[in-house]
Amino acid sequence: MKKAILAIFVLAPLVPAQPDPHKMTKADVDRQMQELSNWGRWGKDDQLGTLNLITPQKRKQAAALVKEGFSISLSHDVLTEKTQDNPNPLEHKMILLRPDQTTGFFMDEYSVNYHGFAHTHMDALCHAAYEGKTYNGFPISDVSEKGCEKDSIIVAKNGIVTRGILMDIAALKGVPYLEPGTPIYPEDLDAWEKKAGVKVGPGDAIFIHTGRWKRRDEKGPSRGFAGLHASCAKWLHDRGVAILGSDDAQDVMPSQVQGVALPVHQLVLVAMGLYIFDDCDLEPVSQEAAKRKRWEFMLTASPMVIGGGTGSPLNPIATF
């Protein structure tokens, strides 16, 4: 006689899917435009924004970081060929001696639209607007063909001297470069601080190394980039970062916030008054920092003194 076999199935309770803690919507960005705002923090007429955090004491602390006197540029060589990440290459026109001249002076002209993804530059606070206003509530009617009446690059004419910190996220992930579209989250920034033994504080300039230029050398230009996720904006605000630099244009691209093309740009420039150094070449300094196992240095940088300018080409210098 065959025995009946009774099978008992125990159904595990269904676990609801957990929401993505990093997911942000346009409504979240709009809310943070208020929550992270520095408008009025340094007075209703302030145009310096987070440069106010670079105090005389901060500059002296930065100078004390110089142990060797070894300096290295954080600027990429100017690109003169038109590519998908450089639709507006720098134009360099030589003014030569006449054929009958053997004595005289050589001269040249430069012409460049430096904003974008190719040329190392500094964004002024009037580079971006939100709901009709730039940083600290100045109306966009202040901007005309003559330039920006408020928040222009000329407010930084005395230059920048502060502590610079390299945050090598490519090294943190154990890769030579991050692929385009790779987001960098606040916990990545925390993890790098722990690995490097450096804590970011008020008035610091941080430089996010994604390996963009190394990837470009190996695989060619791209219109996508690894970069900061919009959720990093609160981290930057809470730490009091004065300068945000990277080897691309800061934001992860394509944007992960539907309806907001460059949420990090918008939040830091307009809400916080936090300055940006775009498209730095961080390959050399990442090698030198790794060699020394030292990720902080004195940063110096001087934008062009252009009244009304939305920014300036730039050659930042790290000195160990």
Side-chain angles (χ1 to χ4, degrees), residues 3 44 64 79 110 119 135 151 155 239 246:
K3 295 182 178 179
K44 65 181 179 62
L79 300 178
Y110 303 140
H119 309 297
Y135 165 72
D151 287 343
V155 304
R239 296 302 177 90
S246 183

Side-chain angles (χ1 to χ4, degrees), residues 3 8 18-19 26 42-43 65 86 94-96 109 118 151 164 167 186 202 204 229 236 240 244 251 264 275 282 313:
K3 295 182 178 179
I8 300 176
Q18 296 299 309
K26 183 179 183 300
W42 296 288
L65 294 173
N86 185 26
M94 289 298 297
I95 303 172
L96 302 175
E109 283 180 11
D151 287 343
M167 306 193 78
D204 284 338
H229 186 268
L236 299 170
L244 172 62
D251 286 85
V264 173
Y275 289 79
L282 303 180

Side-chain angles (χ1 to χ4, degrees), residues 87-305:
N88 300 298
L90 179 135
E91 296 180 11
H92 183 194
K93 178 183 177 182
M94 289 298 297
I95 303 172
L96 302 175
L97 299 177
R98 295 195 311 268
D100 60 334
Q101 282 183 296
T102 59
T103 302
F105 301 94
F106 296 107
M107 295 183 289
D108 50 9
E109 283 180 11
Y110 303 140
S111 177
V112 61
N113 180 350
Y114 56 85
H115 286 296
F117 310 112
H119 309 297
T120 305
H121 66 276
M122 177 178 178
D123 285 347
L125 300 184
C126 69
H127 177 48
Y130 172 76
E131 294 188 343
K133 295 180 180 179
T134 62
Y135 165 72
N136 218 14
F138 298 118
I140 58 174
S141 58
D142 287 346
V143 183
S144 69
E145 291 182 354
K146 295 182 179 180
C148 304
E149 185 178 326
K150 301 287 179 62
D151 287 343
S152 83
I153 196 65
I154 202 168
V155 304
K157 67 177 290 184
N158 292 326
I160 294 162
V161 178
T162 192
R163 180 172 76 149
I165 298 174
L166 179 70
M167 306 193 78
D168 198 335
I169 307 302
L172 178 70
K173 304 293 186 180
V175 296
Y177 46 76
L178 303 179
E179 290 295 337
T182 302
I184 297 168
Y185 297 118
E187 53 263 38
D188 295 318
L189 305 181
D190 289 334
W192 177 255
E193 282 186 321
K194 184 176 181 180
K195 178 180 176 68
V198 177
K199 187 80 169 179
V200 175
D204 284 338
I206 67 171
F207 292 87
I208 310 296
H209 177 236
T210 71
R212 174 266 178 103
W213 293 109
K214 180 175 286 189
R215 186 188 185 280
R216 189 182 192 272
D217 288 342
E218 291 187 11
K219 298 186 176 181
S222 171
R223 288 286 291 184
F225 302 97
L228 296 184
H229 186 268
S231 58
C232 290
K234 186 177 186 304
W235 191 97
L236 299 170
H237 182 270
D238 291 349
R239 296 302 177 90
V241 172
I243 305 286
L244 172 62
S246 183
D247 47 15
D248 50 33
Q250 318 300 332
D251 286 85
V252 59
M253 295 181 67
S255 174
Q256 297 191 347
V257 180
Q258 187 174 3
V260 188
L262 298 170
V264 173
H265 263 66
Q266 179 180 301
L267 286 162
V268 302
L269 287 173
V270 185
M272 300 183 214
L274 193 165
Y275 289 79
I276 291 176
F277 289 4
D278 281 332
D279 308 318
C280 299
D281 187 352
L282 303 180
E283 296 305 323
V285 73
S286 70
Q287 295 169 15
E288 295 296 335
K291 187 189 304 181
R292 292 165 172 76
K293 298 189 185 305
R294 187 173 171 217
W295 313 99
E296 58 180 352
F297 44 82
M298 181 178 75
L299 171 76
T300 54
S302 300
M304 298 173 69
V305 184

Side-chain angles (χ1 to χ4, degrees), residues 67-78:
K67 308 299 182 184
E68 306 168 50
F70 176 81
S71 293
I72 191 164
S73 171
L74 306 183
S75 180
H76 194 273
D77 292 349
V78 168

Side-chain angles (χ1 to χ4, degrees), residues 34-52:
Q34 304 300 321
E35 295 174 351
L36 305 182
S37 174
N38 282 327
W39 292 15
R41 178 177 176 181
W42 296 288
K44 65 181 179 62
D45 297 320
D46 177 61
Q47 299 177 53
L48 284 175
T50 55
L51 293 185
N52 284 289

